[in-house]
Amino acid sequence: MMRSLFLQAPSFDGYDGGAGARYQMKREVRSFWYPTWLAQPAAMVPGSRLIDAPAHDQSWDDIKHEVDGKELVILHTSTPSFRQDLHTAELIRARNPGALIGLIGAKVAVEPEVALRRSAAVDFVCRNEFDFTVKEVAEGVPLAEVKGITWRDPAGEIVHNPDRAMLENMDDLPMVSPIYKRDLTIERYFGGYLKHPYVSFYTGRGCKSRCTFCLWPQTVGGHNYRTRSIANVVEEVQYVLREIPQTKEIFFDDDTLTDNAPRVEELARALGAIGFGKPGFPMSWSCNAKANVPRKTLEVMKANGCRLLLVGYESGNQKILHNIKKGLLVEVAKRFSKDCRELGIVVHGTFILGLPGETLETIEETIAFAKEVNPHTLQVSLAAPYPGTFLYKQAVENDWFDGGDHLLTEGGTQIAQLSYPHLPASVIFDKVEEFYKRFYFRPSKMAAILGEMFRDWDMMKRRLREGVEFFSFLRNRKQAAA
């Protein structure tokens, strides 16, 4: 087995580019997702090392010694971080000329030749799911025989090997939590709506929804939702309880855990049997959800320890939801939100401005909708046309943007990429700040947040810190736009 390093390379200060981040960018409130897609193959390569430099505030000088003596280095890359990741690959090549260097991630999955043509430091890239692909490379299988890679042969020619079949038995994958415990500082990972510290991992891959903007299902994970057995998931939960006891919440990072209602009910009951949802139990759980979960399922989830749902509302306009193939009715989302409030399930809502069909009127409609469904917290993003998505193809064909990869400012914050004849990008960009202010600066919302702070000293400190970060974020956005 090759001596292997799995690396999320140094990047912008506060930039969450990890393979668990659906939008690679610097957020309104500093937060980091676990590099789960890197940890998974790392768990399959004995003696490997995982480094997540951005989350640990590490520069190249902090980690450069780690590449010494490594025979294989795998870097995760994304569209926003691509240029910096290629630079890191070149630094690795200069320091360790004999290392085999490969890239993984959605960017190279859909544009496999780009990295090889842009940098001689890159030896191969992995397409689609890459866990067993990387494992074979680490085992020393000749690159010519490894399915699922694009590589540069000794003559300098770029070769596309046959595709690797999608993994069907998800229980074949090892747990990622032991890699977190071994190589990462758990307290470095946090989000404004999750308890701290938290641990996140997947119970399945793929998403049956066809949202035109969503990156991972269209590039790596696919639309067939393949799941681990409940017993297998419970085993990892029990590992976290035993080996990472400081954890206060487990976040199941499946694209949409609630897509399979009978399974999520079964999982909830299995977690309840462990103790989740019982008085005095030290941990809660949360997950990604679509705003269409039946009340019966929500009741089972709540009774067995589910505290929070991360819900992609995206828009309050029905036509836009149809345009992006969300498969969601506004009235259903309203009923779902009402059910969550009544049951005491916290909701963090995510919204996107600038999707196809957006107008000043639809933005007003979405802001009004957000106030009505009233999630506890929210995130407002700009529509991001990532290569490999239907939205990217649609935007290029309609001249909504130039097809470039400049999705972020030099400081790592999102740029409004899509511009329409009736709604320029600059207006969409400004509406994000307006959305935040009109949602949060309401007497009822401010009272709710202050009440939460006064009831919990730790929350008081946390919200004050996040407030400083939030206003700093808004100030930096204005400076970047100027």
Side-chain angles (χ1 to χ4, degrees), residues 65-301:
H65 63 281
E66 297 281 1
V67 309
D68 296 345
K70 295 297 189 294
E71 299 167 288
L72 173 65
V73 180
I74 301 293
L75 291 94
H76 171 258
T77 191
S78 65
T79 297
S81 66
F82 186 58
R83 282 175 288 179
Q84 179 63 29
D85 296 331
L86 289 184
H87 176 63
T88 299
E90 289 160 2
L91 292 173
I92 294 169
R93 172 67 69 223
R95 187 174 177 97
N96 183 354
L100 195 63
I101 300 174
L103 300 183
I104 61 173
K107 168 71 176 178
V108 293
V110 299
E111 298 178 335
E113 290 190 23
V114 172
L116 294 166
R117 296 194 185 283
R118 288 271 295 271
S119 176
V122 179
D123 296 304
F124 69 95
V125 303
C126 297
R127 307 189 307 269
N128 304 107
E129 283 184 314
F130 41 75
D131 314 275
F132 284 92
T133 301
V134 170
K135 180 174 182 289
E136 287 185 8
V137 173
E139 288 172 339
V141 175
L143 295 185
E145 300 174 17
V146 179
K147 289 183 178 180
I149 67 168
T150 297
W151 61 292
R152 186 183 290 104
D153 70 13
E157 297 296 319
I158 293 177
V159 181
H160 296 275
N161 289 4
D163 287 339
R164 179 175 296 275
M166 296 289 279
L167 180 64
E168 293 299 330
N169 183 4
M170 297 301 291
D171 285 3
D172 285 344
L173 294 171
M175 297 189 300
V176 293
S177 298
I179 303 301
Y180 297 165
K181 177 179 170 61
R182 185 191 72 185
D183 291 339
L184 306 177
T185 301
I186 304 303
E187 290 75 13
R188 287 284 187 170
Y189 297 89
F190 43 83
Y193 47 87
L194 295 176
K195 290 186 176 181
H196 182 261
Y198 81 99
V199 166
S200 69
F201 58 84
Y202 295 86
T203 81
R205 287 183 184 170
C207 181
K208 68 180 184 181
S209 296
R210 301 275 172 170
C211 303
T212 61
F213 61 87
C214 195
L215 180 64
W216 286 93
Q218 296 184 75
T219 57
V220 177
H223 292 291
N224 178 25
Y225 185 31
R226 299 151 292 138
T227 58
R228 297 162 61 180
S229 66
I230 299 300
N232 184 272
V233 176
V234 168
E235 181 183 1
E236 185 153 11
V237 170
Q238 290 175 324
Y239 174 89
V240 174
L241 279 164
R242 184 178 65 252
E243 301 294 336
I244 316 177
Q246 69 269 40
T247 305
K248 293 183 180 177
E249 186 154 85
I250 291 179
F251 186 88
F252 298 120
D253 205 11
D254 305 38
D255 289 285
T256 315
L257 186 78
T258 56
D259 264 355
N260 186 333
R263 178 177 179 270
V264 78
E265 290 180 23
E266 182 185 358
L267 174 60
R269 291 189 176 99
L271 294 172
I274 296 174
F276 283 82
K278 305 298 188 294
F281 193 75
M283 197 179 295
S284 58
W285 64 276
S286 52
C287 68
N288 292 307
K290 201 169 181 177
N292 62 356
V293 185
R295 185 178 179 110
K296 170 183 171 292
T297 300
L298 291 172
E299 289 171 349
V300 175
M301 295 167 69

Side-chain angles (χ1 to χ4, degrees), residues 462-481:
R462 179 173 174 174
R463 292 299 185 216
L464 289 173
R465 173 183 58 79
E466 290 172 348
V468 171
E469 293 173 353
F470 177 71
F471 285 107
S472 175
F473 170 83
L474 294 181
R475 183 173 61 253
N476 290 337
R477 281 183 94 249
K478 284 184 177 180
Q479 292 172 351

Side-chain angles (χ1 to χ4, degrees), residues 293 295 298 334-344:
V293 185
R295 185 178 179 110
L298 291 172
K334 289 179 180 179
R335 185 173 65 245
F336 158 86
S337 303
K338 182 173 180 289
D339 288 340
C340 287
R341 280 196 302 275
E342 292 176 353
L343 294 170

Side-chain angles (χ1 to χ4, degrees), residues 374 437 439-454 471:
N374 198 28
K437 288 180 176 178
F439 180 81
Y440 279 115
F441 295 173
R442 296 175 290 152
S444 59
K445 179 56 70 176
M446 293 175 70
I449 292 173
L450 288 171
E452 178 186 45
M453 292 166 63
F454 286 127
F471 285 107

Side-chain angles (χ1 to χ4, degrees), residues 31 60 71 190 307 350 414 444 474:
S31 62
W60 167 250
E71 299 167 288
F190 43 83
R307 185 191 68 88
T350 63
Q414 260 196 318
S444 59
L474 294 181

